[in-house]
Amino acid sequence: MKIAVYPGSFDPVSNGHLDIIKRSANVFDTVYVLVSVNPNKKYCFTIEERVYMLKEATKNINNVIVEASDNLVLDFAKEKSASVIIRGLRNFIDYQNEITLFQFNRSIDKNIDTFILFPSANNLFLSSSSIKELIMFGNDIKDYVPEGLSEYITERIKERFNKNTGF
Ligand code: ADP
């Protein structure tokens, strides 16, 4: 059984995330999508909302399990007997972050490796923050988020964004 963990903020989930999940699910027996909680980060969506969105997006992929945790990703992986962490890499900024994270994780546990996937061409420029920006400027996001979630995401971002104070 090859088990992988795909951790992230998913604030909100995008088609870029879903593409990575689908491609990972084709390779691994089980993929845990881990909604991580970082006390240093400010999120627009609650943990429950992020879990809900990912469960909706992956409801037809039967080897994907969505969970949330405020533990270290490595501890979560060990708990699930996973040997691989999945990450996406869009550009040089991601590269810098991902290689640092990889080295950090590797220094703690050499038994858990990191697999990097590049985005499919149409998701190359997609990020959770670009989705929020599109909504703030009144644009439609349905081409960028998983089916059925466009209204859910738009409504919440609109009600939470304040032009003067941000989120
Ligand atoms: P974090 O805030 O922890 O970076 P994100 O939710 O932004 O988490 O993303 C989780 C992972 O998915 C990261 O490895 C990120 O590089 C990757 N990712 C985000 N957007 C895309 C995309 N459009 N295509 C491919 N990978 C992506």
Side-chain angles (χ1 to χ4, degrees):
M1 274 285 274
K2 279 286 169 205
I3 303 171
V5 178
Y6 176 41
S9 305
F10 309 107
D11 189 48
V13 64
S14 73
N15 281 344
H17 294 131
L18 184 57
D19 178 54
I20 299 287
I21 295 170
K22 282 182 179 165
R23 287 159 57 203
S24 305
N26 284 336
V27 174
F28 293 95
D29 296 303
T30 304
V31 175
Y32 283 92
V33 179
L34 173 62
V35 181
S36 41
V37 184
N38 179 342
N40 297 318
K41 270 194 182 174
K42 216 177 142 196
Y43 301 105
C44 178
F45 291 85
T46 66
I47 190 91
E48 292 79 14
E49 289 170 337
R50 287 181 280 141
V51 167
Y52 164 77
M53 289 186 282
L54 281 156
K55 281 191 173 166
E56 270 301 297
T58 60
K59 64 185 176 199
N60 296 324
I61 318 173
N62 54 26
N63 58 337
V64 169
I65 301 169
V66 181
E67 288 193 19
S69 167
D70 52 8
N71 287 341
L72 260 187
V73 172
L74 282 176
D75 289 335
F76 180 88
K78 259 184 258 172
E79 193 186 299
K80 302 295 181 190
S81 307
S83 54
V84 168
I85 293 171
I86 308 276
R87 297 290 285 174
L89 200 154
R90 288 159 292 187
N91 50 43
F92 281 107
I93 299 168
D94 278 353
Y95 175 82
Q96 279 189 325
N97 293 335
E98 297 303 337
I99 195 161
T100 310
L101 206 58
F102 163 70
Q103 298 295 357
F104 173 73
N105 285 335
R106 189 118 183 112
S107 71
I108 300 174
D109 191 339
K110 289 208 167 30
N111 295 318
I112 299 180
D113 216 334
T114 299
F115 283 21
I116 296 286
L117 287 176
F118 295 107
S120 303
N122 44 346
N123 298 322
L124 201 53
F125 302 104
L126 204 50
S127 66
S128 295
S129 42
S130 65
I131 287 171
K132 288 177 209 157
E133 243 164 75
L134 281 172
I135 295 169
M136 275 142 39
F137 292 103
N139 292 279
D140 193 341
I141 56 155
K142 75 169 184 325
D143 291 342
Y144 307 112
V145 298
E147 222 183 299
L149 285 175
S150 163
E151 265 182 41
Y152 180 90
I153 293 172
T154 304
E155 274 170 25
R156 273 153 193 82
I157 289 186
K158 273 190 179 159
E159 78 194 18
R160 285 163 203 185
F161 180 69
N162 176 311
K163 276 202 171 106
N164 299 313
T165 56
F167 288 106

